Amino acid sequence: MIGISFATLALLSALRGASAHGYVQEVVAGSSSYTGYLPYTDPYWNPTPQRIIRKIPGNGPVTDVTLIDLQCNGDTADGSPGSAPAPIYGTVAAGAQVNLNWTTWPSSHVGPMITYMARAPSDITAWSPGSSAVWFKVAESGKTSDGKWASTDLLTATDSIYTFTVPPKLKAGQYIVRHEIVALQSASVYPGAQFYPSCIQLQVTGSGTALPTSFVAFPGAYTSSTPGVVFDVYLNTSAYPIPGPAVWTGGN
Ligand SMILES: *[C@@H]1O[C@H](CO)[C@@H](O)[C@H](O)[C@H]1NC(C)=O
Ligand SMILES: *[C@@H]1O[C@H](CO)[C@@H](O)[C@H](O)[C@H]1NC(C)=O
């Protein structure tokens, strides 16, 4: 049962509301659907609902790219820094599409949507990558040549559903999917860009054998001077440089 009142929940929401943004509330992987980690209700249930997304403190961003919090939007302050494992995982076939359902996203928060994966060396429900370089990029979407941003124009056009494809030849195993929006409305200087990462635990099935050979760490992949972490969305009409490494294509 819910352990605290909805008045308290409303108050918590209001406190967060000053900087209300969002998170992934649902994952549809292949034919299976999983509710995301819901930061404003899950903590108040007993027993706590089991989710495939790692716990996040709320709908707010991480802005310091040096913090472990950048990895999975874990909250250093609550003693579960970065990426405390979730208790269960979803299952998806290599080559399948994964749909990530975002909560309502403010139209001012323009920016890219970027997706990484990391292969768990052992049981994913007990693994936190820490500062290890284990991540490879599988998808990215920034600003189109006609000025449409992934997190606003494109996400709105798809009813808040972001879709990526699990690399078809990726070797079977357990992976963390690190998916993020980077909101750039204040990113003309650092700190300013707002990172909204989610870490989703998936078992990938299939007979593929491909694995990448180059990896980045979170924190580490982004710095205070990385192009695309610093970018003036109001004045700079150039192509937007999506931060992080190139998308790994060896799994296609
Ligand atoms: C996204 O999730 C919300 C909450 O579960 C749901 O109401 C909504 O219908 C979902 N959107 C789509 C397009 O499935
Ligand atoms: C616009 O952004 C590009 C890509 O980051 C950068 O190279 C360029 O210097 C920026 N232009 C201005 C005027 O700041």
Side-chain angles (χ1 to χ4, degrees):
M1 293 307 298
I2 286 189
I4 71 170
S5 72
F6 278 101
T8 309
L9 285 178
L11 174 63
L12 287 172
S13 299
L15 289 172
R16 292 281 185 180
S19 55
H21 317 284
Y23 50 89
V24 174
Q25 60 187 341
E26 189 176 51
V27 179
V28 179
S31 56
S32 301
S33 176
Y34 307 89
T35 301
Y37 179 84
L38 306 178
Y40 299 110
T41 48
D42 279 7
Y44 309 109
W45 288 93
N46 186 6
T48 307
Q50 300 211 310
R51 307 300 191 198
I52 67 168
I53 299 189
R54 296 187 171 197
K55 183 180 170 186
I56 57 172
N59 65 5
V62 178
T63 54
D64 183 340
V65 296
T66 68
L67 291 182
I68 186 72
D69 303 38
L70 183 67
Q71 191 167 93
C72 295
N73 202 359
D75 185 358
T76 301
D78 81 356
S80 58
S83 66
I88 57 171
Y89 51 82
T91 302
V92 67
Q97 288 192 332
V98 178
N99 290 338
L100 304 179
N101 176 341
W102 277 84
T103 53
T104 305
W105 191 255
S107 60
S108 60
H109 286 33
V110 297
M113 303 183 79
I114 312 176
T115 306
Y116 298 84
M117 294 177 77
R119 182 180 173 83
S122 55
D123 178 8
I124 197 167
T125 66
W127 182 55
S128 292
S131 56
S132 302
V134 293
W135 302 95
F136 54 98
K137 193 186 269 179
V138 296
E140 64 180 12
S141 175
K143 186 174 71 167
T144 62
S145 54
D146 59 346
K148 291 189 164 59
W149 285 100
S151 67
T152 51
D153 308 290
L154 303 187
L155 192 60
T156 302
T158 53
D159 223 359
S160 297
I161 305 293
Y162 166 90
T163 301
F164 76 97
T165 300
V166 179
K169 294 179 182 162
L170 183 65
K171 186 174 179 179
Q174 296 184 334
Y175 291 83
I176 304 175
V177 173
R178 179 188 178 279
H179 167 68
E180 69 185 343
I181 288 178
V182 186
L184 299 174
Q185 71 279 5
S186 306
S188 58
V189 293
Y190 178 89
Q194 301 180 338
F195 299 85
Y196 296 86
S198 282
C199 284
I200 304 147
Q201 299 181 173
L202 289 177
Q203 168 89 45
V204 174
T205 60
S207 56
T209 56
L211 285 176
T213 53
S214 108
F215 304 93
V216 297
F218 283 102
Y222 304 157
T223 72
S224 59
S225 59
T226 300
V229 169
V230 179
F231 189 86
D232 187 329
V233 294
Y234 308 104
L235 298 180
N236 196 329
T237 53
S238 310
Y240 170 71
I242 299 172
V247 171
W248 176 61
T249 54
N252 296 336

